[in-house]
mmCIF file of all heavy atoms in Angstrom:
data_model
loop_
_atom_site.group_PDB
_atom_site.id
_atom_site.type_symbol
_atom_site.label_atom_id
_atom_site.label_comp_id
_atom_site.label_asym_id
_atom_site.label_seq_id
_atom_site.Cartn_x
_atom_site.Cartn_y
_atom_site.Cartn_z
ATOM 1 N N MET A 24 -75.278 -92.060 -41.380
ATOM 2 C CA MET A 24 -74.321 -92.617 -40.435
ATOM 3 C C MET A 24 -73.463 -91.481 -39.881
ATOM 4 O O MET A 24 -72.859 -90.730 -40.624
ATOM 5 C CB MET A 24 -73.459 -93.670 -41.133
ATOM 6 C CG MET A 24 -72.449 -94.285 -40.262
ATOM 7 S SD MET A 24 -71.599 -95.569 -41.168
ATOM 8 C CE MET A 24 -71.072 -96.541 -39.842
ATOM 9 N N ASN A 25 -73.405 -91.390 -38.569
ATOM 10 C CA ASN A 25 -72.662 -90.331 -37.905
ATOM 11 C C ASN A 25 -71.300 -90.890 -37.459
ATOM 12 O O ASN A 25 -71.212 -91.763 -36.593
ATOM 13 C CB ASN A 25 -73.464 -89.828 -36.708
ATOM 14 C CG ASN A 25 -72.874 -88.564 -36.126
ATOM 15 O OD1 ASN A 25 -71.876 -88.064 -36.609
ATOM 16 N ND2 ASN A 25 -73.503 -88.073 -35.078
ATOM 17 N N ILE A 26 -70.209 -90.369 -38.042
ATOM 18 C CA ILE A 26 -68.872 -90.877 -37.695
ATOM 19 C C ILE A 26 -68.183 -90.020 -36.647
ATOM 20 O O ILE A 26 -67.060 -90.291 -36.263
ATOM 21 C CB ILE A 26 -67.987 -90.995 -38.950
ATOM 22 C CG1 ILE A 26 -67.761 -89.629 -39.599
ATOM 23 C CG2 ILE A 26 -68.575 -91.975 -39.937
ATOM 24 C CD1 ILE A 26 -66.683 -89.644 -40.649
ATOM 25 N N GLY A 27 -68.842 -88.972 -36.194
ATOM 26 C CA GLY A 27 -68.257 -88.083 -35.184
ATOM 27 C C GLY A 27 -67.835 -88.796 -33.914
ATOM 28 O O GLY A 27 -66.709 -88.609 -33.445
ATOM 29 N N PRO A 28 -68.709 -89.625 -33.319
ATOM 30 C CA PRO A 28 -68.292 -90.328 -32.091
ATOM 31 C C PRO A 28 -67.129 -91.288 -32.322
ATOM 32 O O PRO A 28 -66.266 -91.438 -31.446
ATOM 33 C CB PRO A 28 -69.547 -91.089 -31.675
ATOM 34 C CG PRO A 28 -70.676 -90.337 -32.280
ATOM 35 C CD PRO A 28 -70.136 -89.777 -33.568
ATOM 36 N N ALA A 29 -67.078 -91.912 -33.485
ATOM 37 C CA ALA A 29 -65.966 -92.826 -33.774
ATOM 38 C C ALA A 29 -64.657 -92.048 -33.882
ATOM 39 O O ALA A 29 -63.620 -92.479 -33.358
ATOM 40 C CB ALA A 29 -66.240 -93.595 -35.058
ATOM 41 N N LEU A 30 -64.692 -90.906 -34.545
ATOM 42 C CA LEU A 30 -63.488 -90.079 -34.650
ATOM 43 C C LEU A 30 -63.088 -89.526 -33.287
ATOM 44 O O LEU A 30 -61.894 -89.463 -32.968
ATOM 45 C CB LEU A 30 -63.711 -88.942 -35.643
ATOM 46 C CG LEU A 30 -63.823 -89.344 -37.113
ATOM 47 C CD1 LEU A 30 -64.110 -88.126 -37.972
ATOM 48 C CD2 LEU A 30 -62.568 -90.052 -37.581
ATOM 49 N N ALA A 31 -64.055 -89.134 -32.502
ATOM 50 C CA ALA A 31 -63.765 -88.623 -31.162
ATOM 51 C C ALA A 31 -63.146 -89.710 -30.284
ATOM 52 O O ALA A 31 -62.300 -89.423 -29.433
ATOM 53 C CB ALA A 31 -65.041 -88.091 -30.523
ATOM 54 N N ALA A 32 -63.538 -90.951 -30.494
ATOM 55 C CA ALA A 32 -62.976 -92.054 -29.710
ATOM 56 C C ALA A 32 -61.542 -92.363 -30.142
ATOM 57 O O ALA A 32 -60.718 -92.789 -29.324
ATOM 58 C CB ALA A 32 -63.840 -93.291 -29.855
ATOM 59 N N LEU A 33 -61.232 -92.159 -31.421
ATOM 60 C CA LEU A 33 -59.888 -92.453 -31.928
ATOM 61 C C LEU A 33 -58.909 -91.302 -31.727
ATOM 62 O O LEU A 33 -57.694 -91.523 -31.716
ATOM 63 C CB LEU A 33 -59.955 -92.792 -33.418
ATOM 64 C CG LEU A 33 -60.655 -94.094 -33.776
ATOM 65 C CD1 LEU A 33 -60.751 -94.247 -35.279
ATOM 66 C CD2 LEU A 33 -59.926 -95.278 -33.167
ATOM 67 N N LEU A 34 -59.408 -90.108 -31.566
ATOM 68 C CA LEU A 34 -58.544 -88.929 -31.471
ATOM 69 C C LEU A 34 -57.528 -89.012 -30.332
ATOM 70 O O LEU A 34 -56.346 -88.708 -30.555
ATOM 71 C CB LEU A 34 -59.397 -87.666 -31.352
ATOM 72 C CG LEU A 34 -58.649 -86.350 -31.430
ATOM 73 C CD1 LEU A 34 -57.918 -86.226 -32.752
ATOM 74 C CD2 LEU A 34 -59.619 -85.206 -31.245
ATOM 75 N N PRO A 35 -57.877 -89.415 -29.116
ATOM 76 C CA PRO A 35 -56.854 -89.499 -28.056
ATOM 77 C C PRO A 35 -55.735 -90.496 -28.379
ATOM 78 O O PRO A 35 -54.559 -90.209 -28.143
ATOM 79 C CB PRO A 35 -57.637 -89.959 -26.821
ATOM 80 C CG PRO A 35 -59.035 -89.552 -27.082
ATOM 81 C CD PRO A 35 -59.217 -89.666 -28.565
ATOM 82 N N SER A 36 -56.088 -91.617 -28.961
ATOM 83 C CA SER A 36 -55.065 -92.614 -29.305
ATOM 84 C C SER A 36 -54.141 -92.087 -30.393
ATOM 85 O O SER A 36 -52.918 -92.279 -30.333
ATOM 86 C CB SER A 36 -55.718 -93.904 -29.780
ATOM 87 O OG SER A 36 -56.459 -94.474 -28.738
ATOM 88 N N VAL A 37 -54.697 -91.418 -31.365
ATOM 89 C CA VAL A 37 -53.881 -90.849 -32.445
ATOM 90 C C VAL A 37 -52.979 -89.752 -31.883
ATOM 91 O O VAL A 37 -51.797 -89.666 -32.233
ATOM 92 C CB VAL A 37 -54.787 -90.318 -33.580
ATOM 93 C CG1 VAL A 37 -53.979 -89.526 -34.590
ATOM 94 C CG2 VAL A 37 -55.510 -91.470 -34.251
ATOM 95 N N GLY A 38 -53.505 -88.933 -30.992
ATOM 96 C CA GLY A 38 -52.705 -87.871 -30.386
ATOM 97 C C GLY A 38 -51.551 -88.412 -29.565
ATOM 98 O O GLY A 38 -50.415 -87.933 -29.682
ATOM 99 N N VAL A 39 -51.815 -89.414 -28.747
ATOM 100 C CA VAL A 39 -50.753 -90.024 -27.940
ATOM 101 C C VAL A 39 -49.727 -90.700 -28.849
ATOM 102 O O VAL A 39 -48.519 -90.614 -28.604
ATOM 103 C CB VAL A 39 -51.341 -91.020 -26.918
ATOM 104 C CG1 VAL A 39 -50.255 -91.853 -26.267
ATOM 105 C CG2 VAL A 39 -52.150 -90.280 -25.871
ATOM 106 N N GLY A 40 -50.202 -91.347 -29.901
ATOM 107 C CA GLY A 40 -49.277 -91.973 -30.851
ATOM 108 C C GLY A 40 -48.386 -90.948 -31.529
ATOM 109 O O GLY A 40 -47.189 -91.181 -31.713
ATOM 110 N N LEU A 41 -48.942 -89.808 -31.879
ATOM 111 C CA LEU A 41 -48.159 -88.747 -32.510
ATOM 112 C C LEU A 41 -47.125 -88.184 -31.540
ATOM 113 O O LEU A 41 -45.963 -87.992 -31.909
ATOM 114 C CB LEU A 41 -49.086 -87.630 -32.995
ATOM 115 C CG LEU A 41 -48.410 -86.452 -33.676
ATOM 116 C CD1 LEU A 41 -47.706 -86.902 -34.946
ATOM 117 C CD2 LEU A 41 -49.433 -85.378 -33.989
ATOM 118 N N ILE A 42 -47.511 -87.963 -30.307
ATOM 119 C CA ILE A 42 -46.562 -87.473 -29.299
ATOM 120 C C ILE A 42 -45.453 -88.501 -29.073
ATOM 121 O O ILE A 42 -44.273 -88.151 -29.002
ATOM 122 C CB ILE A 42 -47.293 -87.136 -27.986
ATOM 123 C CG1 ILE A 42 -48.178 -85.910 -28.194
ATOM 124 C CG2 ILE A 42 -46.301 -86.902 -26.850
ATOM 125 C CD1 ILE A 42 -49.116 -85.626 -27.043
ATOM 126 N N PHE A 43 -45.815 -89.776 -28.989
ATOM 127 C CA PHE A 43 -44.823 -90.837 -28.810
ATOM 128 C C PHE A 43 -43.838 -90.844 -29.976
ATOM 129 O O PHE A 43 -42.622 -90.923 -29.784
ATOM 130 C CB PHE A 43 -45.526 -92.191 -28.708
ATOM 131 C CG PHE A 43 -44.588 -93.353 -28.595
ATOM 132 C CD1 PHE A 43 -43.953 -93.629 -27.403
ATOM 133 C CD2 PHE A 43 -44.350 -94.165 -29.681
ATOM 134 C CE1 PHE A 43 -43.074 -94.703 -27.295
ATOM 135 C CE2 PHE A 43 -43.486 -95.240 -29.590
ATOM 136 C CZ PHE A 43 -42.847 -95.508 -28.393
ATOM 137 N N TRP A 44 -44.352 -90.723 -31.195
ATOM 138 C CA TRP A 44 -43.494 -90.723 -32.391
ATOM 139 C C TRP A 44 -42.531 -89.538 -32.355
ATOM 140 O O TRP A 44 -41.346 -89.689 -32.664
ATOM 141 C CB TRP A 44 -44.371 -90.692 -33.645
ATOM 142 C CG TRP A 44 -43.573 -90.628 -34.909
ATOM 143 C CD1 TRP A 44 -42.872 -91.635 -35.495
ATOM 144 C CD2 TRP A 44 -43.380 -89.477 -35.731
ATOM 145 N NE1 TRP A 44 -42.262 -91.184 -36.637
ATOM 146 C CE2 TRP A 44 -42.560 -89.865 -36.800
ATOM 147 C CE3 TRP A 44 -43.837 -88.164 -35.662
ATOM 148 C CZ2 TRP A 44 -42.181 -88.975 -37.789
ATOM 149 C CZ3 TRP A 44 -43.458 -87.290 -36.660
ATOM 150 C CH2 TRP A 44 -42.634 -87.692 -37.705
ATOM 151 N N LEU A 45 -43.026 -88.358 -31.982
ATOM 152 C CA LEU A 45 -42.167 -87.176 -31.922
ATOM 153 C C LEU A 45 -41.061 -87.332 -30.878
ATOM 154 O O LEU A 45 -39.910 -86.962 -31.118
ATOM 155 C CB LEU A 45 -43.004 -85.932 -31.623
ATOM 156 C CG LEU A 45 -43.912 -85.455 -32.749
ATOM 157 C CD1 LEU A 45 -44.838 -84.355 -32.246
ATOM 158 C CD2 LEU A 45 -43.098 -84.974 -33.931
ATOM 159 N N VAL A 46 -41.403 -87.898 -29.721
ATOM 160 C CA VAL A 46 -40.398 -88.095 -28.672
ATOM 161 C C VAL A 46 -39.341 -89.090 -29.114
ATOM 162 O O VAL A 46 -38.136 -88.850 -28.956
ATOM 163 C CB VAL A 46 -41.076 -88.538 -27.354
ATOM 164 C CG1 VAL A 46 -40.055 -89.026 -26.346
ATOM 165 C CG2 VAL A 46 -41.909 -87.411 -26.777
ATOM 166 N N ILE A 47 -39.766 -90.200 -29.686
ATOM 167 C CA ILE A 47 -38.812 -91.219 -30.141
ATOM 168 C C ILE A 47 -37.932 -90.665 -31.254
ATOM 169 O O ILE A 47 -36.712 -90.898 -31.285
ATOM 170 C CB ILE A 47 -39.549 -92.503 -30.594
ATOM 171 C CG1 ILE A 47 -40.247 -93.150 -29.400
ATOM 172 C CG2 ILE A 47 -38.594 -93.482 -31.265
ATOM 173 C CD1 ILE A 47 -39.320 -93.569 -28.278
ATOM 174 N N ARG A 48 -38.515 -89.899 -32.162
ATOM 175 C CA ARG A 48 -37.741 -89.305 -33.256
ATOM 176 C C ARG A 48 -36.687 -88.352 -32.706
ATOM 177 O O ARG A 48 -35.534 -88.367 -33.151
ATOM 178 C CB ARG A 48 -38.668 -88.578 -34.228
ATOM 179 C CG ARG A 48 -37.922 -88.051 -35.450
ATOM 180 C CD ARG A 48 -38.851 -87.378 -36.401
ATOM 181 N NE ARG A 48 -39.264 -86.099 -35.820
ATOM 182 C CZ ARG A 48 -39.756 -85.094 -36.525
ATOM 183 N NH1 ARG A 48 -39.963 -85.235 -37.814
ATOM 184 N NH2 ARG A 48 -40.088 -83.973 -35.943
ATOM 185 N N SER A 49 -37.056 -87.538 -31.712
ATOM 186 C CA SER A 49 -36.081 -86.604 -31.147
ATOM 187 C C SER A 49 -34.981 -87.356 -30.391
ATOM 188 O O SER A 49 -33.813 -86.951 -30.434
ATOM 189 C CB SER A 49 -36.764 -85.584 -30.248
ATOM 190 O OG SER A 49 -37.276 -86.199 -29.097
ATOM 191 N N LEU A 50 -35.323 -88.448 -29.712
ATOM 192 C CA LEU A 50 -34.304 -89.256 -29.040
ATOM 193 C C LEU A 50 -33.332 -89.874 -30.042
ATOM 194 O O LEU A 50 -32.112 -89.896 -29.812
ATOM 195 C CB LEU A 50 -34.956 -90.358 -28.212
ATOM 196 C CG LEU A 50 -35.635 -89.927 -26.925
ATOM 197 C CD1 LEU A 50 -36.405 -91.089 -26.315
ATOM 198 C CD2 LEU A 50 -34.621 -89.397 -25.944
ATOM 199 N N MET A 51 -33.859 -90.365 -31.142
ATOM 200 C CA MET A 51 -32.994 -90.976 -32.157
ATOM 201 C C MET A 51 -32.076 -89.931 -32.795
ATOM 202 O O MET A 51 -30.896 -90.200 -33.034
ATOM 203 C CB MET A 51 -33.838 -91.659 -33.235
ATOM 204 C CG MET A 51 -34.674 -92.807 -32.699
ATOM 205 S SD MET A 51 -33.697 -94.118 -31.969
ATOM 206 C CE MET A 51 -33.267 -95.015 -33.417
ATOM 207 N N ASN A 52 -32.603 -88.750 -33.054
ATOM 208 C CA ASN A 52 -31.772 -87.686 -33.619
ATOM 209 C C ASN A 52 -30.698 -87.250 -32.632
ATOM 210 O O ASN A 52 -29.554 -86.997 -33.019
ATOM 211 C CB ASN A 52 -32.630 -86.488 -34.023
ATOM 212 C CG ASN A 52 -33.428 -86.751 -35.279
ATOM 213 O OD1 ASN A 52 -33.081 -87.605 -36.080
ATOM 214 N ND2 ASN A 52 -34.511 -86.023 -35.431
ATOM 215 N N ALA A 53 -31.040 -87.150 -31.362
ATOM 216 C CA ALA A 53 -30.052 -86.779 -30.351
ATOM 217 C C ALA A 53 -28.961 -87.849 -30.247
ATOM 218 O O ALA A 53 -27.771 -87.522 -30.130
ATOM 219 C CB ALA A 53 -30.731 -86.582 -29.007
ATOM 220 N N ASP A 54 -29.350 -89.113 -30.303
ATOM 221 C CA ASP A 54 -28.375 -90.196 -30.236
ATOM 222 C C ASP A 54 -27.449 -90.161 -31.444
ATOM 223 O O ASP A 54 -26.237 -90.317 -31.308
ATOM 224 C CB ASP A 54 -29.097 -91.544 -30.156
ATOM 225 C CG ASP A 54 -28.129 -92.700 -30.020
ATOM 226 O OD1 ASP A 54 -27.325 -92.693 -29.065
ATOM 227 O OD2 ASP A 54 -28.171 -93.614 -30.879
ATOM 228 N N ARG A 55 -28.015 -89.931 -32.620
ATOM 229 C CA ARG A 55 -27.214 -89.863 -33.842
ATOM 230 C C ARG A 55 -26.212 -88.707 -33.754
ATOM 231 O O ARG A 55 -25.035 -88.862 -34.108
ATOM 232 C CB ARG A 55 -28.129 -89.672 -35.050
ATOM 233 C CG ARG A 55 -27.402 -89.676 -36.369
ATOM 234 C CD ARG A 55 -28.337 -89.484 -37.552
ATOM 235 N NE ARG A 55 -29.478 -90.369 -37.493
ATOM 236 C CZ ARG A 55 -30.756 -89.959 -37.466
ATOM 237 N NH1 ARG A 55 -31.043 -88.680 -37.508
ATOM 238 N NH2 ARG A 55 -31.740 -90.827 -37.431
ATOM 239 N N THR A 56 -26.664 -87.559 -33.254
ATOM 240 C CA THR A 56 -25.792 -86.398 -33.124
ATOM 241 C C THR A 56 -24.694 -86.656 -32.104
ATOM 242 O O THR A 56 -23.525 -86.298 -32.325
ATOM 243 C CB THR A 56 -26.624 -85.167 -32.705
ATOM 244 O OG1 THR A 56 -27.660 -84.970 -33.655
ATOM 245 C CG2 THR A 56 -25.770 -83.925 -32.613
ATOM 246 N N GLU A 57 -25.047 -87.293 -30.992
ATOM 247 C CA GLU A 57 -24.054 -87.589 -29.964
ATOM 248 C C GLU A 57 -23.007 -88.566 -30.485
ATOM 249 O O GLU A 57 -21.814 -88.412 -30.242
ATOM 250 C CB GLU A 57 -24.727 -88.167 -28.726
ATOM 251 C CG GLU A 57 -23.756 -88.449 -27.608
ATOM 252 C CD GLU A 57 -24.424 -89.055 -26.390
ATOM 253 O OE1 GLU A 57 -25.604 -89.434 -26.471
ATOM 254 O OE2 GLU A 57 -23.748 -89.159 -25.358
ATOM 255 N N ARG A 58 -23.447 -89.585 -31.210
ATOM 256 C CA ARG A 58 -22.487 -90.555 -31.757
ATOM 257 C C ARG A 58 -21.541 -89.901 -32.751
ATOM 258 O O ARG A 58 -20.343 -90.209 -32.786
ATOM 259 C CB ARG A 58 -23.217 -91.714 -32.416
ATOM 260 C CG ARG A 58 -23.857 -92.657 -31.423
ATOM 261 C CD ARG A 58 -24.656 -93.728 -32.149
ATOM 262 N NE ARG A 58 -25.403 -94.527 -31.238
ATOM 263 C CZ ARG A 58 -25.052 -95.747 -30.838
ATOM 264 N NH1 ARG A 58 -23.948 -96.283 -31.298
ATOM 265 N NH2 ARG A 58 -25.797 -96.408 -29.992
ATOM 266 N N ALA A 59 -22.056 -88.980 -33.564
ATOM 267 C CA ALA A 59 -21.202 -88.277 -34.521
ATOM 268 C C ALA A 59 -20.192 -87.396 -33.790
ATOM 269 O O ALA A 59 -19.013 -87.339 -34.170
ATOM 270 C CB ALA A 59 -22.053 -87.436 -35.469
ATOM 271 N N ALA A 60 -20.629 -86.724 -32.738
ATOM 272 C CA ALA A 60 -19.718 -85.885 -31.967
ATOM 273 C C ALA A 60 -18.642 -86.725 -31.288
ATOM 274 O O ALA A 60 -17.466 -86.341 -31.272
ATOM 275 C CB ALA A 60 -20.494 -85.079 -30.935
ATOM 276 N N LEU A 61 -19.029 -87.861 -30.733
ATOM 277 C CA LEU A 61 -18.044 -88.746 -30.101
ATOM 278 C C LEU A 61 -17.053 -89.291 -31.119
ATOM 279 O O LEU A 61 -15.858 -89.405 -30.821
ATOM 280 C CB LEU A 61 -18.747 -89.894 -29.382
ATOM 281 C CG LEU A 61 -19.471 -89.518 -28.093
ATOM 282 C CD1 LEU A 61 -20.261 -90.713 -27.565
ATOM 283 C CD2 LEU A 61 -18.495 -89.018 -27.055
ATOM 284 N N ALA A 62 -17.519 -89.598 -32.304
ATOM 285 C CA ALA A 62 -16.616 -90.089 -33.350
ATOM 286 C C ALA A 62 -15.620 -89.001 -33.747
ATOM 287 O O ALA A 62 -14.426 -89.281 -33.941
ATOM 288 C CB ALA A 62 -17.414 -90.548 -34.564
ATOM 289 N N ARG A 63 -16.092 -87.751 -33.845
ATOM 290 C CA ARG A 63 -15.179 -86.648 -34.162
ATOM 291 C C ARG A 63 -14.153 -86.459 -33.048
ATOM 292 O O ARG A 63 -12.964 -86.245 -33.323
ATOM 293 C CB ARG A 63 -15.957 -85.351 -34.379
ATOM 294 C CG ARG A 63 -16.674 -85.279 -35.701
ATOM 295 C CD ARG A 63 -17.169 -83.872 -35.995
ATOM 296 N NE ARG A 63 -18.025 -83.338 -34.937
ATOM 297 C CZ ARG A 63 -19.347 -83.471 -34.882
ATOM 298 N NH1 ARG A 63 -19.968 -84.132 -35.837
ATOM 299 N NH2 ARG A 63 -20.038 -82.933 -33.895
ATOM 300 N N MET A 64 -14.611 -86.551 -31.794
ATOM 301 C CA MET A 64 -13.686 -86.407 -30.668
ATOM 302 C C MET A 64 -12.656 -87.535 -30.650
ATOM 303 O O MET A 64 -11.465 -87.296 -30.426
ATOM 304 C CB MET A 64 -14.452 -86.387 -29.346
ATOM 305 C CG MET A 64 -15.195 -85.105 -29.096
ATOM 306 S SD MET A 64 -16.249 -85.106 -27.618
ATOM 307 C CE MET A 64 -15.295 -85.977 -26.416
ATOM 308 N N ASP A 65 -13.098 -88.752 -30.899
ATOM 309 C CA ASP A 65 -12.175 -89.886 -30.929
ATOM 310 C C ASP A 65 -11.156 -89.736 -32.049
ATOM 311 O O ASP A 65 -9.968 -90.028 -31.870
ATOM 312 C CB ASP A 65 -12.942 -91.198 -31.088
ATOM 313 C CG ASP A 65 -13.687 -91.599 -29.834
ATOM 314 O OD1 ASP A 65 -13.380 -91.052 -28.760
ATOM 315 O OD2 ASP A 65 -14.593 -92.462 -29.937
ATOM 316 N N ALA A 66 -11.611 -89.274 -33.209
ATOM 317 C CA ALA A 66 -10.691 -89.078 -34.332
ATOM 318 C C ALA A 66 -9.682 -87.980 -34.009
ATOM 319 O O ALA A 66 -8.490 -88.111 -34.323
ATOM 320 C CB ALA A 66 -11.471 -88.727 -35.594
ATOM 321 N N ALA A 67 -10.133 -86.912 -33.373
ATOM 322 C CA ALA A 67 -9.216 -85.824 -33.004
ATOM 323 C C ALA A 67 -8.209 -86.307 -31.968
ATOM 324 O O ALA A 67 -7.014 -85.976 -32.047
ATOM 325 C CB ALA A 67 -10.001 -84.636 -32.479
ATOM 326 N N GLU A 68 -8.656 -87.076 -30.989
ATOM 327 C CA GLU A 68 -7.738 -87.611 -29.984
ATOM 328 C C GLU A 68 -6.740 -88.574 -30.610
ATOM 329 O O GLU A 68 -5.552 -88.566 -30.260
ATOM 330 C CB GLU A 68 -8.514 -88.317 -28.887
ATOM 331 C CG GLU A 68 -9.249 -87.394 -27.960
ATOM 332 C CD GLU A 68 -10.076 -88.135 -26.920
ATOM 333 O OE1 GLU A 68 -9.995 -89.382 -26.866
ATOM 334 O OE2 GLU A 68 -10.790 -87.460 -26.170
ATOM 335 N N ALA A 69 -7.195 -89.397 -31.540
ATOM 336 C CA ALA A 69 -6.285 -90.340 -32.201
ATOM 337 C C ALA A 69 -5.256 -89.584 -33.034
ATOM 338 O O ALA A 69 -4.070 -89.940 -33.034
ATOM 339 C CB ALA A 69 -7.080 -91.301 -33.080
ATOM 340 N N ALA A 70 -5.692 -88.538 -33.718
ATOM 341 C CA ALA A 70 -4.752 -87.751 -34.521
ATOM 342 C C ALA A 70 -3.751 -87.041 -33.628
ATOM 343 O O ALA A 70 -2.552 -86.986 -33.939
ATOM 344 C CB ALA A 70 -5.519 -86.747 -35.373
ATOM 345 N N GLU A 71 -4.215 -86.491 -32.507
ATOM 346 C CA GLU A 71 -3.317 -85.823 -31.563
ATOM 347 C C GLU A 71 -2.332 -86.816 -30.966
ATOM 348 O O GLU A 71 -1.143 -86.534 -30.831
ATOM 349 C CB GLU A 71 -4.131 -85.151 -30.458
ATOM 350 C CG GLU A 71 -3.299 -84.453 -29.415
ATOM 351 C CD GLU A 71 -2.552 -83.248 -29.955
ATOM 352 O OE1 GLU A 71 -3.013 -82.657 -30.945
ATOM 353 O OE2 GLU A 71 -1.494 -82.918 -29.391
ATOM 354 N N SER A 72 -2.814 -87.989 -30.620
ATOM 355 C CA SER A 72 -1.942 -89.014 -30.057
ATOM 356 C C SER A 72 -0.908 -89.464 -31.085
ATOM 357 O O SER A 72 0.269 -89.629 -30.750
ATOM 358 C CB SER A 72 -2.786 -90.204 -29.603
ATOM 359 O OG SER A 72 -1.964 -91.240 -29.149
ATOM 360 N N GLU A 73 -1.335 -89.622 -32.306
ATOM 361 C CA GLU A 73 -0.413 -90.037 -33.375
ATOM 362 C C GLU A 73 0.631 -88.956 -33.614
ATOM 363 O O GLU A 73 1.812 -89.251 -33.777
ATOM 364 C CB GLU A 73 -1.189 -90.322 -34.661
ATOM 365 C CG GLU A 73 -0.342 -90.824 -35.793
ATOM 366 C CD GLU A 73 0.283 -92.174 -35.519
ATOM 367 O OE1 GLU A 73 -0.334 -92.978 -34.800
ATOM 368 O OE2 GLU A 73 1.395 -92.442 -36.030
ATOM 369 N N ARG A 74 0.193 -87.717 -33.606
ATOM 370 C CA ARG A 74 1.120 -86.607 -33.827
ATOM 371 C C ARG A 74 2.108 -86.516 -32.661
ATOM 372 O O ARG A 74 3.306 -86.345 -32.872
ATOM 373 C CB ARG A 74 0.343 -85.301 -33.963
ATOM 374 C CG ARG A 74 1.180 -84.133 -34.381
ATOM 375 C CD ARG A 74 0.325 -82.933 -34.705
ATOM 376 N NE ARG A 74 -0.540 -82.617 -33.590
ATOM 377 C CZ ARG A 74 -0.494 -81.496 -32.896
ATOM 378 N NH1 ARG A 74 0.377 -80.570 -33.217
ATOM 379 N NH2 ARG A 74 -1.319 -81.285 -31.899
ATOM 380 N N THR A 75 1.607 -86.674 -31.442
ATOM 381 C CA THR A 75 2.471 -86.601 -30.264
ATOM 382 C C THR A 75 3.447 -87.775 -30.241
ATOM 383 O O THR A 75 4.635 -87.598 -30.017
ATOM 384 C CB THR A 75 1.628 -86.607 -28.977
ATOM 385 O OG1 THR A 75 0.725 -85.506 -29.029
ATOM 386 C CG2 THR A 75 2.498 -86.500 -27.756
ATOM 387 N N ASN A 76 2.956 -88.958 -30.483
ATOM 388 C CA ASN A 76 3.823 -90.150 -30.474
ATOM 389 C C ASN A 76 4.807 -90.108 -31.624
ATOM 390 O O ASN A 76 5.954 -90.524 -31.468
ATOM 391 C CB ASN A 76 2.999 -91.425 -30.545
ATOM 392 C CG ASN A 76 2.234 -91.669 -29.264
ATOM 393 O OD1 ASN A 76 2.592 -91.144 -28.222
ATOM 394 N ND2 ASN A 76 1.178 -92.458 -29.344
ATOM 395 N N GLY A 77 4.399 -89.621 -32.755
ATOM 396 C CA GLY A 77 5.307 -89.521 -33.906
ATOM 397 C C GLY A 77 6.419 -88.530 -33.649
ATOM 398 O O GLY A 77 7.564 -88.743 -34.037
ATOM 399 N N THR A 78 6.136 -87.443 -32.958
ATOM 400 C CA THR A 78 7.137 -86.436 -32.643
ATOM 401 C C THR A 78 8.154 -86.973 -31.652
ATOM 402 O O THR A 78 9.361 -86.756 -31.782
ATOM 403 C CB THR A 78 6.467 -85.155 -32.062
ATOM 404 O OG1 THR A 78 5.494 -84.710 -32.989
ATOM 405 C CG2 THR A 78 7.464 -84.071 -31.810
ATOM 406 N N GLU A 79 7.675 -87.694 -30.634
ATOM 407 C CA GLU A 79 8.579 -88.232 -29.608
ATOM 408 C C GLU A 79 9.492 -89.306 -30.195
ATOM 409 O O GLU A 79 10.656 -89.396 -29.844
ATOM 410 C CB GLU A 79 7.776 -88.815 -28.455
ATOM 411 C CG GLU A 79 7.078 -87.762 -27.618
ATOM 412 C CD GLU A 79 6.195 -88.364 -26.555
ATOM 413 O OE1 GLU A 79 6.136 -89.609 -26.468
ATOM 414 O OE2 GLU A 79 5.542 -87.612 -25.822
ATOM 415 N N ASN A 80 8.978 -90.119 -31.104
ATOM 416 C CA ASN A 80 9.776 -91.198 -31.677
ATOM 417 C C ASN A 80 10.816 -90.667 -32.637
ATOM 418 O O ASN A 80 11.852 -91.290 -32.859
ATOM 419 C CB ASN A 80 8.871 -92.218 -32.377
ATOM 420 C CG ASN A 80 8.026 -92.981 -31.377
ATOM 421 O OD1 ASN A 80 8.368 -93.072 -30.199
ATOM 422 N ND2 ASN A 80 6.912 -93.550 -31.856
ATOM 423 N N ALA A 81 10.567 -89.512 -33.258
ATOM 424 C CA ALA A 81 11.497 -88.969 -34.226
ATOM 425 C C ALA A 81 12.714 -88.340 -33.553
ATOM 426 O O ALA A 81 13.749 -88.190 -34.157
ATOM 427 C CB ALA A 81 10.797 -87.922 -35.116
ATOM 428 N N SER A 82 12.630 -87.969 -32.290
ATOM 429 C CA SER A 82 13.735 -87.260 -31.612
ATOM 430 C C SER A 82 14.890 -88.150 -31.323
ATOM 431 O O SER A 82 15.003 -89.190 -30.991
ATOM 432 C CB SER A 82 13.240 -86.651 -30.312
ATOM 433 O OG SER A 82 12.295 -85.657 -30.621
#
């Protein structure tokens, strides 16, 4: 039994599936990184706002 033609027929689908998986994985990692950066920025802005508002109220 020769399985070469069967493997050759499946190879393009496996290759496209692998490329799709890599692209989706990179998108998910980029989204995770962006959300973490936005959370850090929001926390820094909230701390700055709290510090600024606390200083003005104390005067």
Side-chain angles (χ1 to χ4, degrees):
M24 180 176 204
N25 190 0
I26 62 168
L30 290 177
L33 292 175
L34 188 60
S36 296
V37 171
V39 169
L41 180 63
I42 291 170
F43 177 77
W44 177 75
L45 289 171
V46 168
I47 295 299
R48 185 178 72 160
S49 68
L50 286 172
M51 297 300 277
N52 286 337
D54 183 57
R55 184 180 311 121
T56 304
E57 182 181 10
R58 287 176 187 258
L61 287 173
R63 285 193 304 270
M64 286 174 40
D65 287 344
E68 287 177 5
E71 179 67 26
S72 176
E73 183 65 31
R74 188 171 55 117
T75 302
N76 290 339
T78 305
E79 290 175 1
N80 291 338
S82 295

